[in-house]
PDB file of all heavy atoms in Angstrom:
ATOM      1  N   LEU A   1      -3.427  56.184  -0.235  1.00 98.00           N
ATOM      2  CA  LEU A   1      -4.271  57.301  -0.639  1.00 98.00           C
ATOM      3  C   LEU A   1      -3.536  58.125  -1.687  1.00 98.00           C
ATOM      4  O   LEU A   1      -2.371  58.491  -1.482  1.00 98.00           O
ATOM      5  CB  LEU A   1      -4.597  58.162   0.577  1.00 98.00           C
ATOM      6  CG  LEU A   1      -5.354  59.461   0.322  1.00 98.00           C
ATOM      7  CD1 LEU A   1      -6.743  59.180  -0.228  1.00 98.00           C
ATOM      8  CD2 LEU A   1      -5.433  60.280   1.617  1.00 98.00           C
ATOM      9  N   VAL A   2      -4.206  58.420  -2.766  1.00 98.00           N
ATOM     10  CA  VAL A   2      -3.606  59.214  -3.840  1.00 98.00           C
ATOM     11  C   VAL A   2      -4.660  60.173  -4.377  1.00 98.00           C
ATOM     12  O   VAL A   2      -5.854  59.852  -4.377  1.00 98.00           O
ATOM     13  CB  VAL A   2      -3.042  58.306  -4.952  1.00 98.00           C
ATOM     14  CG1 VAL A   2      -4.143  57.493  -5.616  1.00 98.00           C
ATOM     15  CG2 VAL A   2      -2.243  59.092  -5.972  1.00 98.00           C
ATOM     16  N   GLN A   3      -4.226  61.323  -4.827  1.00 98.00           N
ATOM     17  CA  GLN A   3      -5.157  62.289  -5.402  1.00 98.00           C
ATOM     18  C   GLN A   3      -5.538  61.888  -6.821  1.00 98.00           C
ATOM     19  O   GLN A   3      -4.771  61.203  -7.505  1.00 98.00           O
ATOM     20  CB  GLN A   3      -4.519  63.681  -5.413  1.00 98.00           C
ATOM     21  CG  GLN A   3      -4.317  64.270  -4.035  1.00 98.00           C
ATOM     22  CD  GLN A   3      -3.873  65.720  -4.089  1.00 98.00           C
ATOM     23  OE1 GLN A   3      -3.446  66.223  -5.127  1.00 98.00           O
ATOM     24  NE2 GLN A   3      -3.982  66.410  -2.969  1.00 98.00           N
ATOM     25  N   PRO A   4      -6.700  62.333  -7.272  1.00 98.00           N
ATOM     26  CA  PRO A   4      -7.076  62.064  -8.672  1.00 98.00           C
ATOM     27  C   PRO A   4      -5.984  62.557  -9.618  1.00 98.00           C
ATOM     28  O   PRO A   4      -5.437  63.652  -9.436  1.00 98.00           O
ATOM     29  CB  PRO A   4      -8.363  62.870  -8.830  1.00 98.00           C
ATOM     30  CG  PRO A   4      -8.941  62.920  -7.454  1.00 98.00           C
ATOM     31  CD  PRO A   4      -7.765  63.023  -6.535  1.00 98.00           C
ATOM     32  N   GLY A   5      -5.694  61.733 -10.603  1.00 98.00           N
ATOM     33  CA  GLY A   5      -4.621  62.041 -11.539  1.00 98.00           C
ATOM     34  C   GLY A   5      -3.260  61.552 -11.108  1.00 98.00           C
ATOM     35  O   GLY A   5      -2.301  61.626 -11.878  1.00 98.00           O
ATOM     36  N   GLY A   6      -3.169  61.061  -9.892  1.00 98.00           N
ATOM     37  CA  GLY A   6      -1.901  60.589  -9.364  1.00 98.00           C
ATOM     38  C   GLY A   6      -1.568  59.170  -9.789  1.00 98.00           C
ATOM     39  O   GLY A   6      -2.310  58.536 -10.551  1.00 98.00           O
ATOM     40  N   SER A   7      -0.440  58.686  -9.269  1.00 98.00           N
ATOM     41  CA  SER A   7       0.064  57.360  -9.639  1.00 98.00           C
ATOM     42  C   SER A   7       0.400  56.533  -8.405  1.00 98.00           C
ATOM     43  O   SER A   7       0.750  57.080  -7.357  1.00 98.00           O
ATOM     44  CB  SER A   7       1.329  57.491 -10.499  1.00 98.00           C
ATOM     45  OG  SER A   7       1.073  58.179 -11.698  1.00 98.00           O
ATOM     46  N   LEU A   8       0.299  55.242  -8.573  1.00 98.00           N
ATOM     47  CA  LEU A   8       0.734  54.279  -7.559  1.00 98.00           C
ATOM     48  C   LEU A   8       1.297  53.071  -8.282  1.00 98.00           C
ATOM     49  O   LEU A   8       0.879  52.755  -9.403  1.00 98.00           O
ATOM     50  CB  LEU A   8      -0.425  53.816  -6.670  1.00 98.00           C
ATOM     51  CG  LEU A   8      -0.925  54.719  -5.554  1.00 98.00           C
ATOM     52  CD1 LEU A   8      -2.136  54.092  -4.893  1.00 98.00           C
ATOM     53  CD2 LEU A   8       0.166  54.975  -4.530  1.00 98.00           C
ATOM     54  N   ARG A   9       2.219  52.374  -7.621  1.00 98.00           N
ATOM     55  CA  ARG A   9       2.700  51.101  -8.129  1.00 98.00           C
ATOM     56  C   ARG A   9       2.457  50.039  -7.074  1.00 98.00           C
ATOM     57  O   ARG A   9       2.985  50.123  -5.965  1.00 98.00           O
ATOM     58  CB  ARG A   9       4.176  51.135  -8.505  1.00 98.00           C
ATOM     59  CG  ARG A   9       4.610  49.853  -9.222  1.00 98.00           C
ATOM     60  CD  ARG A   9       6.042  49.882  -9.693  1.00 98.00           C
ATOM     61  NE  ARG A   9       6.990  49.579  -8.626  1.00 98.00           N
ATOM     62  CZ  ARG A   9       8.201  49.061  -8.829  1.00 98.00           C
ATOM     63  NH1 ARG A   9       8.602  48.790 -10.073  1.00 98.00           N
ATOM     64  NH2 ARG A   9       9.012  48.844  -7.814  1.00 98.00           N
ATOM     65  N   LEU A  10       1.673  49.048  -7.444  1.00 98.00           N
ATOM     66  CA  LEU A  10       1.417  47.919  -6.563  1.00 98.00           C
ATOM     67  C   LEU A  10       2.416  46.806  -6.855  1.00 98.00           C
ATOM     68  O   LEU A  10       2.822  46.609  -7.997  1.00 98.00           O
ATOM     69  CB  LEU A  10      -0.001  47.386  -6.765  1.00 98.00           C
ATOM     70  CG  LEU A  10      -1.145  48.390  -6.622  1.00 98.00           C
ATOM     71  CD1 LEU A  10      -2.477  47.674  -6.779  1.00 98.00           C
ATOM     72  CD2 LEU A  10      -1.062  49.125  -5.299  1.00 98.00           C
ATOM     73  N   SER A  11       2.786  46.098  -5.795  1.00 98.00           N
ATOM     74  CA  SER A  11       3.687  44.953  -5.926  1.00 98.00           C
ATOM     75  C   SER A  11       3.038  43.740  -5.285  1.00 98.00           C
ATOM     76  O   SER A  11       2.292  43.852  -4.314  1.00 98.00           O
ATOM     77  CB  SER A  11       5.024  45.227  -5.237  1.00 98.00           C
ATOM     78  OG  SER A  11       5.670  46.347  -5.776  1.00 98.00           O
ATOM     79  N   CYS A  12       3.349  42.593  -5.818  1.00 98.00           N
ATOM     80  CA  CYS A  12       2.853  41.321  -5.257  1.00 98.00           C
ATOM     81  C   CYS A  12       3.992  40.316  -5.319  1.00 98.00           C
ATOM     82  O   CYS A  12       4.485  39.995  -6.413  1.00 98.00           O
ATOM     83  CB  CYS A  12       1.656  40.817  -6.047  1.00 98.00           C
ATOM     84  SG  CYS A  12       1.136  39.138  -5.629  1.00 98.00           S
ATOM     85  N   VAL A  13       4.400  39.856  -4.152  1.00 98.00           N
ATOM     86  CA  VAL A  13       5.474  38.875  -4.063  1.00 98.00           C
ATOM     87  C   VAL A  13       4.876  37.492  -3.834  1.00 98.00           C
ATOM     88  O   VAL A  13       4.042  37.305  -2.951  1.00 98.00           O
ATOM     89  CB  VAL A  13       6.449  39.227  -2.931  1.00 98.00           C
ATOM     90  CG1 VAL A  13       7.560  38.184  -2.852  1.00 98.00           C
ATOM     91  CG2 VAL A  13       7.044  40.612  -3.144  1.00 98.00           C
ATOM     92  N   SER A  14       5.327  36.549  -4.627  1.00 96.00           N
ATOM     93  CA  SER A  14       4.855  35.162  -4.524  1.00 96.00           C
ATOM     94  C   SER A  14       5.872  34.304  -3.785  1.00 96.00           C
ATOM     95  O   SER A  14       7.082  34.492  -3.936  1.00 96.00           O
ATOM     96  CB  SER A  14       4.636  34.590  -5.918  1.00 96.00           C
ATOM     97  OG  SER A  14       4.420  33.189  -5.874  1.00 96.00           O
ATOM     98  N   SER A  15       5.362  33.343  -3.006  1.00 95.00           N
ATOM     99  CA  SER A  15       6.246  32.430  -2.278  1.00 95.00           C
ATOM    100  C   SER A  15       6.647  31.228  -3.129  1.00 95.00           C
ATOM    101  O   SER A  15       7.455  30.401  -2.689  1.00 95.00           O
ATOM    102  CB  SER A  15       5.558  31.947  -0.999  1.00 95.00           C
ATOM    103  OG  SER A  15       4.419  31.157  -1.324  1.00 95.00           O
ATOM    104  N   SER A  16       6.083  31.117  -4.322  1.00 92.00           N
ATOM    105  CA  SER A  16       6.331  29.944  -5.148  1.00 92.00           C
ATOM    106  C   SER A  16       7.754  29.933  -5.709  1.00 92.00           C
ATOM    107  O   SER A  16       8.256  30.948  -6.177  1.00 92.00           O
ATOM    108  CB  SER A  16       5.351  29.901  -6.310  1.00 92.00           C
ATOM    109  OG  SER A  16       5.698  28.863  -7.205  1.00 92.00           O
ATOM    110  N   ARG A  17       8.367  28.740  -5.703  1.00 91.00           N
ATOM    111  CA  ARG A  17       9.696  28.586  -6.302  1.00 91.00           C
ATOM    112  C   ARG A  17       9.600  28.475  -7.821  1.00 91.00           C
ATOM    113  O   ARG A  17      10.623  28.539  -8.516  1.00 91.00           O
ATOM    114  CB  ARG A  17      10.375  27.337  -5.760  1.00 91.00           C
ATOM    115  CG  ARG A  17      10.710  27.399  -4.284  1.00 91.00           C
ATOM    116  CD  ARG A  17      11.477  26.175  -3.830  1.00 91.00           C
ATOM    117  NE  ARG A  17      11.863  26.258  -2.431  1.00 91.00           N
ATOM    118  CZ  ARG A  17      12.565  25.327  -1.811  1.00 91.00           C
ATOM    119  NH1 ARG A  17      12.963  24.256  -2.460  1.00 91.00           N
ATOM    120  NH2 ARG A  17      12.876  25.472  -0.537  1.00 91.00           N
ATOM    121  N   SER A  18       8.361  28.313  -8.293  1.00 92.00           N
ATOM    122  CA  SER A  18       8.141  28.170  -9.738  1.00 92.00           C
ATOM    123  C   SER A  18       7.374  29.360 -10.279  1.00 92.00           C
ATOM    124  O   SER A  18       6.592  29.236 -11.219  1.00 92.00           O
ATOM    125  CB  SER A  18       7.368  26.883 -10.033  1.00 92.00           C
ATOM    126  OG  SER A  18       8.046  25.760  -9.517  1.00 92.00           O
ATOM    127  N   PHE A  19       7.600  30.508  -9.692  1.00 94.00           N
ATOM    128  CA  PHE A  19       6.835  31.712 -10.026  1.00 94.00           C
ATOM    129  C   PHE A  19       6.795  31.969 -11.526  1.00 94.00           C
ATOM    130  O   PHE A  19       5.775  32.372 -12.060  1.00 94.00           O
ATOM    131  CB  PHE A  19       7.447  32.914  -9.306  1.00 94.00           C
ATOM    132  CG  PHE A  19       6.856  34.234  -9.716  1.00 94.00           C
ATOM    133  CD1 PHE A  19       5.636  34.653  -9.205  1.00 94.00           C
ATOM    134  CD2 PHE A  19       7.530  35.076 -10.604  1.00 94.00           C
ATOM    135  CE1 PHE A  19       5.082  35.869  -9.573  1.00 94.00           C
ATOM    136  CE2 PHE A  19       6.988  36.299 -10.975  1.00 94.00           C
ATOM    137  CZ  PHE A  19       5.765  36.694 -10.452  1.00 94.00           C
ATOM    138  N   SER A  20       7.887  31.720 -12.206  1.00 93.00           N
ATOM    139  CA  SER A  20       7.991  32.100 -13.615  1.00 93.00           C
ATOM    140  C   SER A  20       6.984  31.378 -14.503  1.00 93.00           C
ATOM    141  O   SER A  20       6.685  31.865 -15.599  1.00 93.00           O
ATOM    142  CB  SER A  20       9.407  31.841 -14.137  1.00 93.00           C
ATOM    143  OG  SER A  20       9.693  30.451 -14.113  1.00 93.00           O
ATOM    144  N   ILE A  21       6.439  30.264 -14.066  1.00 93.00           N
ATOM    145  CA  ILE A  21       5.503  29.521 -14.906  1.00 93.00           C
ATOM    146  C   ILE A  21       4.046  29.820 -14.577  1.00 93.00           C
ATOM    147  O   ILE A  21       3.135  29.269 -15.196  1.00 93.00           O
ATOM    148  CB  ILE A  21       5.753  28.000 -14.846  1.00 93.00           C
ATOM    149  CG1 ILE A  21       5.481  27.454 -13.444  1.00 93.00           C
ATOM    150  CG2 ILE A  21       7.164  27.667 -15.296  1.00 93.00           C
ATOM    151  CD1 ILE A  21       5.575  25.933 -13.375  1.00 93.00           C
ATOM    152  N   TYR A  22       3.835  30.703 -13.612  1.00 95.00           N
ATOM    153  CA  TYR A  22       2.480  31.044 -13.221  1.00 95.00           C
ATOM    154  C   TYR A  22       1.930  32.176 -14.077  1.00 95.00           C
ATOM    155  O   TYR A  22       2.650  33.111 -14.441  1.00 95.00           O
ATOM    156  CB  TYR A  22       2.433  31.508 -11.764  1.00 95.00           C
ATOM    157  CG  TYR A  22       2.390  30.381 -10.762  1.00 95.00           C
ATOM    158  CD1 TYR A  22       3.523  29.614 -10.516  1.00 95.00           C
ATOM    159  CD2 TYR A  22       1.232  30.100 -10.061  1.00 95.00           C
ATOM    160  CE1 TYR A  22       3.497  28.584  -9.594  1.00 95.00           C
ATOM    161  CE2 TYR A  22       1.190  29.079  -9.124  1.00 95.00           C
ATOM    162  CZ  TYR A  22       2.328  28.325  -8.895  1.00 95.00           C
ATOM    163  OH  TYR A  22       2.291  27.298  -7.985  1.00 95.00           O
ATOM    164  N   MET A  23       0.652  32.111 -14.341  1.00 97.00           N
ATOM    165  CA  MET A  23      -0.082  33.248 -14.869  1.00 97.00           C
ATOM    166  C   MET A  23      -0.433  34.137 -13.675  1.00 97.00           C
ATOM    167  O   MET A  23      -0.897  33.626 -12.648  1.00 97.00           O
ATOM    168  CB  MET A  23      -1.358  32.780 -15.588  1.00 97.00           C
ATOM    169  CG  MET A  23      -2.167  33.901 -16.225  1.00 97.00           C
ATOM    170  SD  MET A  23      -3.317  34.698 -15.079  1.00 97.00           S
ATOM    171  CE  MET A  23      -4.102  35.863 -16.188  1.00 97.00           C
ATOM    172  N   MET A  24      -0.181  35.420 -13.807  1.00 98.00           N
ATOM    173  CA  MET A  24      -0.433  36.363 -12.719  1.00 98.00           C
ATOM    174  C   MET A  24      -1.401  37.447 -13.174  1.00 98.00           C
ATOM    175  O   MET A  24      -1.459  37.786 -14.370  1.00 98.00           O
ATOM    176  CB  MET A  24       0.875  37.017 -12.262  1.00 98.00           C
ATOM    177  CG  MET A  24       1.949  36.046 -11.813  1.00 98.00           C
ATOM    178  SD  MET A  24       1.488  35.099 -10.348  1.00 98.00           S
ATOM    179  CE  MET A  24       1.316  36.408  -9.122  1.00 98.00           C
ATOM    180  N   ALA A  25      -2.134  37.996 -12.232  1.00 98.00           N
ATOM    181  CA  ALA A  25      -3.095  39.040 -12.592  1.00 98.00           C
ATOM    182  C   ALA A  25      -3.397  39.923 -11.388  1.00 98.00           C
ATOM    183  O   ALA A  25      -3.082  39.576 -10.239  1.00 98.00           O
ATOM    184  CB  ALA A  25      -4.381  38.412 -13.116  1.00 98.00           C
ATOM    185  N   TRP A  26      -3.986  41.052 -11.698  1.00 98.00           N
ATOM    186  CA  TRP A  26      -4.520  41.954 -10.683  1.00 98.00           C
ATOM    187  C   TRP A  26      -6.024  42.098 -10.922  1.00 98.00           C
ATOM    188  O   TRP A  26      -6.466  42.321 -12.053  1.00 98.00           O
ATOM    189  CB  TRP A  26      -3.858  43.329 -10.769  1.00 98.00           C
ATOM    190  CG  TRP A  26      -2.445  43.355 -10.302  1.00 98.00           C
ATOM    191  CD1 TRP A  26      -1.311  43.233 -11.055  1.00 98.00           C
ATOM    192  CD2 TRP A  26      -2.009  43.520  -8.949  1.00 98.00           C
ATOM    193  NE1 TRP A  26      -0.200  43.311 -10.267  1.00 98.00           N
ATOM    194  CE2 TRP A  26      -0.594  43.487  -8.960  1.00 98.00           C
ATOM    195  CE3 TRP A  26      -2.650  43.692  -7.722  1.00 98.00           C
ATOM    196  CZ2 TRP A  26       0.176  43.627  -7.808  1.00 98.00           C
ATOM    197  CZ3 TRP A  26      -1.889  43.829  -6.584  1.00 98.00           C
ATOM    198  CH2 TRP A  26      -0.495  43.799  -6.615  1.00 98.00           C
ATOM    199  N   TYR A  27      -6.764  41.990  -9.828  1.00 98.00           N
ATOM    200  CA  TYR A  27      -8.203  42.230  -9.821  1.00 98.00           C
ATOM    201  C   TYR A  27      -8.468  43.373  -8.845  1.00 98.00           C
ATOM    202  O   TYR A  27      -7.624  43.700  -8.004  1.00 98.00           O
ATOM    203  CB  TYR A  27      -8.964  40.992  -9.354  1.00 98.00           C
ATOM    204  CG  TYR A  27      -9.104  39.894 -10.378  1.00 98.00           C
ATOM    205  CD1 TYR A  27      -8.023  39.087 -10.716  1.00 98.00           C
ATOM    206  CD2 TYR A  27     -10.327  39.647 -11.000  1.00 98.00           C
ATOM    207  CE1 TYR A  27      -8.151  38.072 -11.657  1.00 98.00           C
ATOM    208  CE2 TYR A  27     -10.474  38.626 -11.931  1.00 98.00           C
ATOM    209  CZ  TYR A  27      -9.382  37.840 -12.250  1.00 98.00           C
ATOM    210  OH  TYR A  27      -9.515  36.832 -13.167  1.00 98.00           O
ATOM    211  N   ARG A  28      -9.654  43.930  -8.927  1.00 98.00           N
ATOM    212  CA  ARG A  28     -10.055  44.933  -7.940  1.00 98.00           C
ATOM    213  C   ARG A  28     -11.541  44.770  -7.624  1.00 98.00           C
ATOM    214  O   ARG A  28     -12.316  44.277  -8.440  1.00 98.00           O
ATOM    215  CB  ARG A  28      -9.769  46.349  -8.431  1.00 98.00           C
ATOM    216  CG  ARG A  28     -10.597  46.794  -9.634  1.00 98.00           C
ATOM    217  CD  ARG A  28     -10.117  48.145 -10.148  1.00 98.00           C
ATOM    218  NE  ARG A  28     -10.856  48.569 -11.326  1.00 98.00           N
ATOM    219  CZ  ARG A  28     -10.521  49.615 -12.073  1.00 98.00           C
ATOM    220  NH1 ARG A  28      -9.441  50.353 -11.766  1.00 98.00           N
ATOM    221  NH2 ARG A  28     -11.246  49.945 -13.128  1.00 98.00           N
ATOM    222  N   GLN A  29     -11.876  45.192  -6.424  1.00 98.00           N
ATOM    223  CA  GLN A  29     -13.260  45.124  -5.985  1.00 98.00           C
ATOM    224  C   GLN A  29     -13.597  46.397  -5.239  1.00 98.00           C
ATOM    225  O   GLN A  29     -13.029  46.663  -4.166  1.00 98.00           O
ATOM    226  CB  GLN A  29     -13.517  43.899  -5.109  1.00 98.00           C
ATOM    227  CG  GLN A  29     -14.975  43.699  -4.780  1.00 98.00           C
ATOM    228  CD  GLN A  29     -15.259  42.336  -4.196  1.00 98.00           C
ATOM    229  OE1 GLN A  29     -14.372  41.649  -3.689  1.00 98.00           O
ATOM    230  NE2 GLN A  29     -16.509  41.909  -4.285  1.00 98.00           N
ATOM    231  N   ALA A  30     -14.509  47.161  -5.816  1.00 97.00           N
ATOM    232  CA  ALA A  30     -14.992  48.387  -5.187  1.00 97.00           C
ATOM    233  C   ALA A  30     -16.171  48.046  -4.288  1.00 97.00           C
ATOM    234  O   ALA A  30     -16.839  47.024  -4.484  1.00 97.00           O
ATOM    235  CB  ALA A  30     -15.404  49.391  -6.255  1.00 97.00           C
ATOM    236  N   PRO A  31     -16.459  48.893  -3.313  1.00 92.00           N
ATOM    237  CA  PRO A  31     -17.586  48.631  -2.405  1.00 92.00           C
ATOM    238  C   PRO A  31     -18.887  48.441  -3.174  1.00 92.00           C
ATOM    239  O   PRO A  31     -19.242  49.255  -4.034  1.00 92.00           O
ATOM    240  CB  PRO A  31     -17.631  49.887  -1.530  1.00 92.00           C
ATOM    241  CG  PRO A  31     -16.241  50.412  -1.560  1.00 92.00           C
ATOM    242  CD  PRO A  31     -15.721  50.114  -2.928  1.00 92.00           C
ATOM    243  N   GLY A  32     -19.576  47.354  -2.872  1.00 95.00           N
ATOM    244  CA  GLY A  32     -20.860  47.095  -3.502  1.00 95.00           C
ATOM    245  C   GLY A  32     -20.792  46.579  -4.914  1.00 95.00           C
ATOM    246  O   GLY A  32     -21.825  46.422  -5.572  1.00 95.00           O
ATOM    247  N   LYS A  33     -19.584  46.322  -5.409  1.00 97.00           N
ATOM    248  CA  LYS A  33     -19.427  45.842  -6.783  1.00 97.00           C
ATOM    249  C   LYS A  33     -18.733  44.495  -6.801  1.00 97.00           C
ATOM    250  O   LYS A  33     -18.104  44.081  -5.833  1.00 97.00           O
ATOM    251  CB  LYS A  33     -18.637  46.865  -7.605  1.00 97.00           C
ATOM    252  CG  LYS A  33     -19.351  48.189  -7.786  1.00 97.00           C
ATOM    253  CD  LYS A  33     -18.624  49.065  -8.786  1.00 97.00           C
ATOM    254  CE  LYS A  33     -19.392  50.354  -9.049  1.00 97.00           C
ATOM    255  NZ  LYS A  33     -18.703  51.215 -10.044  1.00 97.00           N
ATOM    256  N   GLU A  34     -18.836  43.829  -7.953  1.00 97.00           N
ATOM    257  CA  GLU A  34     -18.181  42.545  -8.121  1.00 97.00           C
ATOM    258  C   GLU A  34     -16.682  42.751  -8.387  1.00 97.00           C
ATOM    259  O   GLU A  34     -16.261  43.784  -8.891  1.00 97.00           O
ATOM    260  CB  GLU A  34     -18.816  41.775  -9.280  1.00 97.00           C
ATOM    261  CG  GLU A  34     -20.245  41.333  -9.019  1.00 97.00           C
ATOM    262  CD  GLU A  34     -20.785  40.443 -10.117  1.00 97.00           C
ATOM    263  OE1 GLU A  34     -20.091  40.248 -11.126  1.00 97.00           O
ATOM    264  OE2 GLU A  34     -21.909  39.943  -9.954  1.00 97.00           O
ATOM    265  N   ARG A  35     -15.925  41.725  -8.054  1.00 98.00           N
ATOM    266  CA  ARG A  35     -14.500  41.756  -8.340  1.00 98.00           C
ATOM    267  C   ARG A  35     -14.307  41.703  -9.864  1.00 98.00           C
ATOM    268  O   ARG A  35     -14.964  40.928 -10.552  1.00 98.00           O
ATOM    269  CB  ARG A  35     -13.802  40.567  -7.678  1.00 98.00           C
ATOM    270  CG  ARG A  35     -12.302  40.659  -7.655  1.00 98.00           C
ATOM    271  CD  ARG A  35     -11.692  39.568  -6.778  1.00 98.00           C
ATOM    272  NE  ARG A  35     -12.078  39.709  -5.373  1.00 98.00           N
ATOM    273  CZ  ARG A  35     -11.522  38.991  -4.393  1.00 98.00           C
ATOM    274  NH1 ARG A  35     -10.569  38.106  -4.671  1.00 98.00           N
ATOM    275  NH2 ARG A  35     -11.927  39.153  -3.152  1.00 98.00           N
ATOM    276  N   GLU A  36     -13.395  42.526 -10.367  1.00 98.00           N
ATOM    277  CA  GLU A  36     -13.177  42.578 -11.804  1.00 98.00           C
ATOM    278  C   GLU A  36     -11.693  42.481 -12.134  1.00 98.00           C
ATOM    279  O   GLU A  36     -10.841  42.944 -11.366  1.00 98.00           O
ATOM    280  CB  GLU A  36     -13.740  43.883 -12.394  1.00 98.00           C
ATOM    281  CG  GLU A  36     -13.078  45.144 -11.887  1.00 98.00           C
ATOM    282  CD  GLU A  36     -13.565  46.411 -12.584  1.00 98.00           C
ATOM    283  OE1 GLU A  36     -14.365  46.316 -13.531  1.00 98.00           O
ATOM    284  OE2 GLU A  36     -13.137  47.506 -12.179  1.00 98.00           O
ATOM    285  N   LEU A  37     -11.412  41.900 -13.286  1.00 98.00           N
ATOM    286  CA  LEU A  37     -10.042  41.787 -13.764  1.00 98.00           C
ATOM    287  C   LEU A  37      -9.537  43.152 -14.224  1.00 98.00           C
ATOM    288  O   LEU A  37     -10.206  43.843 -14.995  1.00 98.00           O
ATOM    289  CB  LEU A  37      -9.965  40.789 -14.919  1.00 98.00           C
ATOM    290  CG  LEU A  37      -8.612  40.642 -15.595  1.00 98.00           C
ATOM    291  CD1 LEU A  37      -7.590  40.035 -14.653  1.00 98.00           C
ATOM    292  CD2 LEU A  37      -8.744  39.806 -16.862  1.00 98.00           C
TER     293      LEU A  37
END
């Protein structure tokens, strides 16, 4: 939970030993909406 105007840092750890060759991304999905890049 963060107030409007605030900041957060998300992290994602991969189990892959070849992580460096993967394309990575963040998507989000709000209630009632489609997932978006």
